[in-house]
Amino acid sequence: MPTVFIIPGKGSYAEAWNVVVPPDDPVRSSPYDLIEQAKLGHSPDAVQPTVAHTTRVCAYDRPDTRPDGRDLSTPLPQPHSVQQDVDDVVALIVAAQLAGPFVVVAHSYGGLVADLLARTHPELVAGLVMVDPTSEFLPALGSPAQNAAFNADGLVPPEPGGEAVLFDDAFARINAAPPLPRVPAVVVSADKFAPPEKLTPDNYTLAQIHQANDMLAAALDTTNVVANGSGHNMMLYQPKFVADKIITTVRAAAGR
């Protein structure tokens, strides 16, 4: 079975794939994504331990993403480019002597890293699982004001000293890269959005995000599946759903 390689979202890190929103947490009953209020807990039902019953799983922390614990992530100048992230993934695979190709699982901004990795290093990618990704097609659907606001948001770390990214640069690099490889793939999207008081007219809408993910799925020759009752951090809300999609993709890649 191919190894699974997880690329976390902006400001997130590997440990997020070992925890879940508990089944009895009140945030689950909200129509909105209230992940900041959730009481996350470690669980054997989290995505990483669940997938590990089927195949090896590797996850990593990008610079300035892990703020606490024994292994703090390396500080680097921010913001940084998606190319730097792709180069880091390739260097990490070599340094850790990991045997590929991999089923790459990517969340949020990690979707852009996985997208460019697959285009420029197709020999490393046996399959793709895009978990509520930042789709390369968002700028084509957004207004100039929405696109500018999204790029500006990427420049702001989620916390002081945290990770900041260059969205406009990432979209441009992906647009100029070779085509996506044809590998087993799936795109999964959340159906919960931030509450209205947290949104501005310049935020992308949930409908735009879903449409952009539909377009990404079409480019990957697959489908975009919407998870019921899940916010953006789908691995926390719906770990079994995400793990099932990963394992299905692993088996499809192994069959090839």
Side-chain angles (χ1 to χ4, degrees):
M1 292 283 192
T3 294
V4 168
F5 191 94
I6 295 174
I7 303 180
K10 176 195 168 192
S12 186
Y13 49 95
E15 193 62 15
W17 297 79
N18 289 311
V19 297
V20 302
V21 176
D24 59 350
D25 195 305
V27 304
R28 288 191 174 276
S29 61
S30 172
Y32 302 113
D33 186 356
L34 303 178
I35 194 64
E36 300 90 352
Q37 301 176 24
K39 297 178 176 61
L40 303 178
H42 285 82
S43 171
D45 297 324
V47 173
Q48 188 158 332
T50 299
V51 175
H53 290 299
T54 298
T55 191
R56 189 182 190 189
V57 187
C58 299
Y60 75 112
D61 303 334
R62 283 191 303 276
D64 292 312
T65 60
R66 192 178 185 97
D68 52 25
R70 188 175 55 185
D71 299 314
L72 300 183
S73 59
T74 306
L76 285 179
Q78 301 290 345
H80 69 280
S81 72
V82 71
Q83 184 63 59
Q84 182 175 331
D85 288 327
V86 169
D87 293 344
D88 284 350
V89 167
V90 175
L92 173 59
I93 288 170
V94 172
Q97 299 182 333
L98 300 177
F102 307 90
V103 169
V104 177
V105 178
H107 173 242
S108 193
Y109 165 72
L112 295 179
V113 182
D115 195 319
L116 188 60
L117 176 72
R119 291 171 181 271
T120 56
H121 296 277
E123 74 283 357
L124 294 178
V125 180
L128 285 164
V129 180
M130 299 293 210
V131 182
D132 212 33
T134 302
S135 168
E136 62 176 277
F137 296 100
L138 270 173
L141 300 175
S143 69
Q146 285 177 311
N147 293 338
F150 189 68
N151 186 66
D153 184 64
L155 301 176
V156 179
E159 56 192 19
E163 182 179 41
V165 300
L166 301 166
F167 281 122
D168 282 353
D169 173 77
F171 293 132
R173 288 178 187 270
I174 289 169
N175 187 56
L180 284 164
R182 285 292 180 265
V183 294
V186 65
V187 179
V188 291
S189 297
D191 69 344
K192 287 187 176 188
F193 211 39
E197 63 270 17
K198 289 195 172 184
L199 300 174
T200 73
D202 291 335
N203 286 121
Y204 293 126
T205 67
L206 185 60
Q208 286 174 310
I209 293 169
H210 283 181
Q211 185 178 353
N213 285 352
D214 285 342
M215 296 168 72
L216 177 60
L220 290 167
D221 196 26
T222 187
T223 55
N224 174 32
V225 183
V226 177
N228 295 324
S230 178
H232 179 56
N233 291 277
M234 195 179 304
M235 65 283 191
L236 306 179
Y237 278 102
Q238 300 286 2
K240 184 180 185 305
F241 176 86
V242 174
D244 286 348
K245 296 301 180 187
I246 294 171
I247 291 168
T248 297
T249 305
V250 164
R251 288 174 174 158
R256 291 168 56 125

